[in-house]
Amino acid sequence: MTTASGFPDISISTERLVLRPFDEADITAYAEMMNDELVTAWTAAPQPYTEADARAYITEVAPAERAEGRGIVLAVTEFLTQRLVGSVRLRHTDWRVRSSELSYVTAPWARGEGYASEAALATAQWLFHDQKFERIELRTAADNTAAQQVAQKVGCISEGVLRGAWIARVRNGGDPLGGWIDLRTDLIVWSLLPEDLEGVSDQLAESGFTSFSDWN
């Protein structure tokens, strides 16, 4: 079991995906993903998101988070093609309480495949079973229905609303070529405990998702 000194340098495998640390070869694809309209709308990522931003995050920020025990960032890639299809992140980790906050991003070229749910569930299984954590928290913007659907699919329980707790971004005047403006919104708080995962893998498999039990 890992102590508060940091998370291990790990790779998590499912039937369709490999979750692994980012490396420099991912910089271009990661920058492209982070410039997507929906990613811009619902995250606090800089805009425009440059390859320099991606390089700093992948080579400096993410490794420091893992080494210092604050969290871990994993690239989500297709097993067969090795294509980057998203990312998952654990942050705000409390080693005494054994809890962490989970977030996920899906690339526009990979949406509709269930990858976010598969990656989130695999991460939760690893965190609960291997790292002996007891709680995962998710926070989704009130209008981000896709993120909420992922939370529900992996067994999360809605705990309440944090009013006016997030800044989303919308196109100025609705013009797709216009600039972005900030819009204050609520956050829905979700939680996932180890017992919430019971039967979730089977339910997802019946819905067309794969089941996952292997990590290393």
Side-chain angles (χ1 to χ4, degrees), residues 132-153:
K132 308 304 181 187
F133 270 53
E134 296 292 336
R135 174 182 167 89
I136 294 174
E137 186 172 299
L138 294 81
R139 299 185 176 197
T140 63
D143 292 329
N144 190 352
T145 55
Q148 292 164 29
Q149 289 171 352
V150 172
Q152 291 172 327
K153 286 178 181 178

Side-chain angles (χ1 to χ4, degrees), residues 4 9 18 23 26 65 70 85-86 89 93 96 116 118 128 130 146 153 157 161 213 216:
D9 189 10
V18 176
D23 58 41
D26 300 312
E65 284 194 7
R70 292 183 281 117
V85 296
R89 181 186 185 189
T93 303
R96 179 176 179 272
E118 187 167 334
F128 288 151
D130 190 75
K153 286 178 181 178
I157 303 299
V161 176
S213 58
N216 51 38

Side-chain angles (χ1 to χ4, degrees), residues 34-133:
M34 297 306 290
N35 277 309
D36 173 66
E37 295 275 310
L38 291 180
V39 175
T40 300
W42 300 121
T43 73
Q47 281 302 315
Y49 197 91
T50 67
E51 291 201 4
D53 291 324
R55 179 178 298 276
Y57 187 72
I58 287 171
T59 64
E60 300 173 20
V61 177
E65 284 194 7
R66 183 185 68 81
E68 296 167 11
R70 292 183 281 117
I72 189 169
V73 182
L74 296 173
V76 180
T77 62
E78 284 182 327
F79 176 76
L80 292 178
T81 66
Q82 300 183 10
R83 179 179 63 161
L84 180 71
V85 296
S87 68
V88 293
R89 181 186 185 189
L90 294 169
R91 60 178 180 172
H92 300 153
T93 303
D94 187 323
W95 290 89
R96 179 176 179 272
V97 179
R98 311 299 291 189
S99 70
S100 192
E101 181 181 330
L102 173 69
S103 60
Y104 34 83
V105 173
T106 304
W109 53 85
R111 291 180 185 141
E113 301 293 333
Y115 287 152
S117 300
E118 187 167 334
L121 183 54
T123 303
Q125 290 175 323
W126 168 76
L127 194 65
F128 288 151
H129 298 157
D130 190 75
Q131 300 297 297
K132 308 304 181 187
F133 270 53

Side-chain angles (χ1 to χ4, degrees), residues 180-202:
W180 294 93
I181 58 175
D182 291 342
L183 179 67
R184 184 167 293 277
T185 187
D186 298 340
L187 283 177
I188 301 175
V189 179
W190 307 80
S191 67
L192 189 68
L193 305 182
E195 57 265 31
D196 296 329
L197 290 185
E198 296 178 6
V200 170
S201 295
D202 294 338

